[in-house]
């Protein structure tokens, strides 16, 4: 089934921290938006070749609006600058989704760790954990207190949330959160790459769930030529060294949904019917990689000579 896609109206544009804007998006005719669960994100099409993914950070029960938050990134590729400088209240923007590769799984206890704009997917998770009467804590870091979004909303959780601006407390002290993770506890983390790397080093892998905004460095893999059979059409496409599966199938005239081209958004996830993928994405869990059932064709390749994909 094709994902939901529509032009939504920017109903509100609000500065929620230094360099962070929150956008409230509504359907122009007041129609309900698709349901979503904590951890979901949407694709926002800002212009030709300018498409970005933003986590939904509002209330999943409110089907009248979606809320996202956008950090201005001076060294970025133009998406955040467009949102901050050109997109205004009343403007329309095309969106697609939602998708969720960072779902909140049922657990008796949670430990949440957020860094900077990484608070966005975590925020609705806190409300869900609270509603489920689960035990949970949040460690939330940022450069300065003024740069940390939604601290006002977090005040309702006094006693469970630790706000730790770097200029006041230094780097996040992960020890109390990660050195002793009891059975039945899940750890959710989202934020900049160095924080995620530090958490992955200290946390039992079976307990950890992360979402990356930037691709994780991957070890070098096979760059040999291989073939991809497209099961829906019976066609076979050759993928040369240095060319992605995505680019090869698009060059052959096959329409495929894609967005980030970095293996972080999950838009191009494709079912693998035969063959062994060489996973190079930053989305799939190790269990999902081991199953070999899907792959992100924008970055992943083949461990053998042939793949059969459901395209």
């Amino acid at each position: 089934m094709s994902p939901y896609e529509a032009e939504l109206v920017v109903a509100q544009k609000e500065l929620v921290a230094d360099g962070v804007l929150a956008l409230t998006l509504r359907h122009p005719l007041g129609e309900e938006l698709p349901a979503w669960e904590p951890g979901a994100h949407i694709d926002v099409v800002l212009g030709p070749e300018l498409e970005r993914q933003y986590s939904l950070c509002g209330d999943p029960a409110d089907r009248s609006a979606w809320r996202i938050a956008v950090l201005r990134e001076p060294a970025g590729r133009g998406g955040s600058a467009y949102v901050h400088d050109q997109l205004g209240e009343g403007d329309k923007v095309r969106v697609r989704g939602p998708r969720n590769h960072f779902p909140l799984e049922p657990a008796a206890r949670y430990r949440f760790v957020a860094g900077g704009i990484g608070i966005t997917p975590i925020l609705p998770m806190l409300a869900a954990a609270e509603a489920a009467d689960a035990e949970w804590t949040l460690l939330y870091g940022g450069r300065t207190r003024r740069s940390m979004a939604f601290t006002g909303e977090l005040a309702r959780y006094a006693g469970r949330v630790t706000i730790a601006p770097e200029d006041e407390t230094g780097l996040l002290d992960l020890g109390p959160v990660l050195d002793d993770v009891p059975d039945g506890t899940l750890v959710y983390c989202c934020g900049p790459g160095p924080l995620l790397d530090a958490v992955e080093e200290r946390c039992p892998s079976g307990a950890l769930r992360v979402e990356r905004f930037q691709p994780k460095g991957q070890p070098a893999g096979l760059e040999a030529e291989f073939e991809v059979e497209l099961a829906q059409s019976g066609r076979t496409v050759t993928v040369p060294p240095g060319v992605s599966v995505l680019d090869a199938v698009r060059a052959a005239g096959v329409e495929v949904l894609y967005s980030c081209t970095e293996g972080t958004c999950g838009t191009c996830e494709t079912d693998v019917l035969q063959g062994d993928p060489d996973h190079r994405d930053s989305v799939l869990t190790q269990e999902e990689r081991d199953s070999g059932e899907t792959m992100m064709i924008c970055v992943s390749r083949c461990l053998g000579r042939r793949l059969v994909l459901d395209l």
Side-chain angles (χ1 to χ4, degrees):
M1 184 174 65
S2 299
Y4 175 83
E5 185 168 348
E7 281 196 338
L8 302 184
V9 174
V10 180
Q12 185 178 25
K13 182 177 180 180
E14 177 186 10
L15 189 68
V16 292
D18 285 351
V20 181
L21 282 173
L23 302 182
T24 300
L25 307 175
R26 299 184 186 274
H27 194 280
L29 301 179
E31 296 179 5
E32 280 194 340
L33 301 177
W36 60 280
E37 296 182 350
H41 70 264
I42 57 174
D43 304 329
V44 181
V45 182
L46 302 169
E49 305 300 321
L50 192 61
E51 184 172 323
R52 299 292 182 265
Q53 292 71 45
Y54 298 109
S55 297
L56 291 168
C57 57
D59 179 3
D62 182 4
R63 299 282 298 276
S64 71
W66 283 344
R67 183 176 70 167
I68 59 174
V70 182
L71 169 69
R72 179 187 286 278
E73 299 184 81
R77 297 175 295 166
S80 67
Y82 181 91
V83 171
H84 278 253
D85 298 335
Q86 299 186 51
L87 197 61
E89 292 184 355
D91 289 345
K92 290 184 178 179
V93 63
R94 179 157 291 276
V95 302
R96 186 169 57 236
R99 295 183 180 85
N100 198 344
H101 291 279
F102 192 44
L104 184 68
E105 302 170 23
R109 290 172 297 275
Y110 299 98
R111 295 182 181 178
F112 298 102
V113 181
I117 198 63
I119 190 62
T120 52
I122 299 294
L123 197 61
M125 292 185 180
L126 306 182
E130 187 80 356
D133 201 26
E135 297 179 23
W136 65 270
T137 60
L138 166 66
L139 177 61
Y140 177 23
R143 297 187 311 278
T144 67
R145 193 173 294 269
R146 289 177 57 86
S147 73
M148 299 170 68
F150 305 121
T151 54
E153 295 186 24
L154 293 171
R156 75 183 76 171
Y157 303 124
R160 294 179 181 256
V161 174
T162 300
I163 304 293
E166 186 176 347
D167 64 338
E168 298 178 22
T169 64
L171 294 176
L172 286 181
D173 183 5
L174 298 174
V177 179
L178 302 178
D179 285 349
D180 181 21
V181 178
D183 290 343
T185 302
L186 291 180
V187 178
Y188 278 78
C189 181
C190 186
L195 171 63
L196 298 182
D197 292 341
V199 169
E200 286 183 334
E201 288 179 5
R202 301 186 69 152
C203 183
S205 60
L208 182 60
R209 308 290 186 269
V210 302
E211 181 170 60
R212 291 180 176 270
F213 294 138
Q214 299 295 330
K216 182 179 181 180
Q218 300 287 344
L222 297 174
E223 293 297 336
E225 178 177 289
F226 60 95
E227 291 187 341
V228 173
E229 180 182 332
L230 310 181
Q232 294 181 23
S233 66
R235 299 175 61 186
T236 297
V237 175
T238 298
V239 183
V243 176
S244 70
V245 176
L246 173 65
D247 287 343
V249 299
R250 291 185 67 231
V254 179
E255 293 294 326
V256 181
L257 279 179
Y258 69 98
S259 182
C260 73
T261 69
E262 296 179 327
T264 60
C265 74
T267 303
C268 69
E269 184 173 11
T270 301
D271 288 342
V272 179
L273 304 181
Q274 291 182 33
D276 297 318
D278 178 9
H279 295 290
R280 304 186 186 185
D281 65 276
S282 302
V283 176
L284 297 176
T285 65
Q286 189 58 52
E287 183 179 5
E288 290 169 331
R289 290 178 174 222
D290 292 342
S291 76
E293 293 178 355
T294 69
M295 65 184 288
M296 306 301 160
I297 62 172
C298 65
V299 292
S300 297
R301 299 185 65 79
C302 180
L303 291 174
R305 298 291 298 169
R306 181 173 173 272
L307 290 170
V308 180
L309 301 181
D310 189 16
L311 291 173

